[in-house]
Amino acid sequence: MTMHATGTRKDWLAARLSLLEQEKELTRRSDEIAARRQELPWVKVEKDYRLETEHGVVPLSGLFKGRSQLLVYHFMFGPDYTAGCPSCSSIADGFNGIAVHLENHDVAFSAISRAPLEKLQEFKRRMGWTFDWASSANSDFNHDFNVWFTPDEQSSGKIEYNYRREPPMLDAQAGKTIQQWELRGSEGPVELMASMTGTDIATYTRDRPGVSAFAMQDGDVYHTYSSYARGLDGLWGMYQWLDRAPLGRNETGVWWKHHDRYGAN
């Protein structure tokens, strides 16, 4: 016997119509917030970032590929990783097929990570992805956009991520300084994800996820927007589906894996 509330179709329709009003309000509010994103002041990118791509080393402007806008996913894949972050990989599974649509709407797309290009391309082939992926290994790009931090910043409490200062990482095994990634009832979720990348917690969490937007006008590149941590929820496709499933997210720990590791021991 189900433990969930049951009712007639009439009961369901009444409850559904009540929820629909709240969903519509959420949609309207989401539209308002999107408009405010677009109203943010643009900041000219003054530094000459050099990024390695499959077509050679290019400046940040080279990622636009003739478009006036660029979206970047800051993919957690440090040089010491043996595989990409499983959470970033799950997000990438969701955006892998959309680049062609963005590029036909004046928006270029690229993931950027600190790992060497060869390592990124090898993992990309393993995952069967087709989106552009650039290496920032020889530039300050990740640090300047607050998605990579030095060991000293990590140990001395100088990390500013998601627009707030983090305390020093004193007990790496507890993962307590990455609270936004912890899941209710879980034990060591960050440690588990670190192990999936072949690293320890300290190494794993010096890289962080995020999304940034850029515009090009009269040959100049401008930074227009960045979001991090739970600000990426809307881009994490599987959660948008789970939020509409009967049991919702229904999670007590890290359950997702690289998509080719489900069923593996």
Side-chain angles (χ1 to χ4, degrees), residues 70-215:
L70 169 67
L71 291 174
V72 167
Y73 182 73
H74 301 287
F75 196 120
M76 288 176 63
F77 201 141
D80 296 320
Y81 288 27
T82 59
C85 164
S87 297
C88 288
S89 297
S90 174
I91 293 174
D93 286 336
F95 65 59
N96 180 58
I98 69 167
V100 64
H101 300 288
L102 295 175
E103 290 181 350
N104 281 279
H105 198 60
D106 194 32
V107 181
F109 176 87
S110 181
I112 297 180
S113 302
R114 290 193 311 118
L117 183 64
E118 182 179 357
K119 185 176 284 191
L120 300 180
Q121 289 178 324
E122 180 182 356
F123 188 66
K124 179 178 170 179
R125 287 190 294 270
R126 171 185 154 186
M127 294 289 100
W129 293 330
T130 58
F131 57 82
D132 290 344
W133 202 348
S135 171
S136 58
N138 298 312
S139 81
D140 298 326
F141 182 83
N142 284 54
H143 192 266
D144 289 352
F145 286 94
N146 302 105
V147 288
W148 178 71
F149 305 93
T150 67
D152 176 68
E153 289 170 329
Q154 186 179 53
S155 63
S156 60
K158 295 178 182 177
I159 287 180
E160 290 196 10
Y161 176 68
N162 198 25
Y163 307 104
R164 66 189 65 174
R165 177 69 66 95
E166 289 184 5
M169 178 174 277
L170 302 177
D171 182 2
Q173 291 303 313
K176 296 300 185 182
T177 65
I178 321 296
Q179 293 179 1
Q180 63 267 41
W181 292 350
E182 290 196 75
L183 302 172
R184 183 179 301 174
S186 63
E187 294 182 3
V190 182
E191 182 178 10
L192 175 59
M193 289 191 285
S195 70
M196 294 186 199
T197 67
T199 64
D200 54 56
I201 287 179
T203 302
Y204 172 69
T205 56
R206 283 196 287 272
D207 286 270
R208 301 295 176 86
V211 62
S212 291
F214 301 88

Side-chain angles (χ1 to χ4, degrees), residues 1-73:
M1 177 182 294
T2 178
M3 300 299 292
H4 194 81
T6 61
T8 65
R9 177 59 59 179
K10 182 179 180 180
D11 295 333
W12 179 90
L13 183 59
R16 180 65 188 94
L17 291 175
S18 176
L19 175 62
L20 181 61
E21 287 304 311
Q22 293 177 300
E23 288 180 333
K24 288 182 176 180
E25 178 56 32
L26 179 61
T27 299
R28 287 189 288 267
R29 182 62 178 145
S30 180
D31 290 343
E32 292 170 2
I33 292 173
R36 292 199 61 185
R37 288 190 194 106
Q38 294 150 25
E39 292 169 356
L40 289 171
W42 293 2
V43 179
K44 187 176 178 180
V45 177
E46 302 285 359
K47 190 173 289 189
D48 181 23
Y49 298 109
R50 293 285 160 169
L51 306 166
E52 188 175 4
T53 74
E54 59 182 335
H55 302 296
V57 177
V58 302
L60 182 60
S61 60
L63 300 185
F64 281 75
K65 297 190 300 184
R67 279 76 179 180
S68 70
Q69 303 158 85
L70 169 67
L71 291 174
V72 167
Y73 182 73

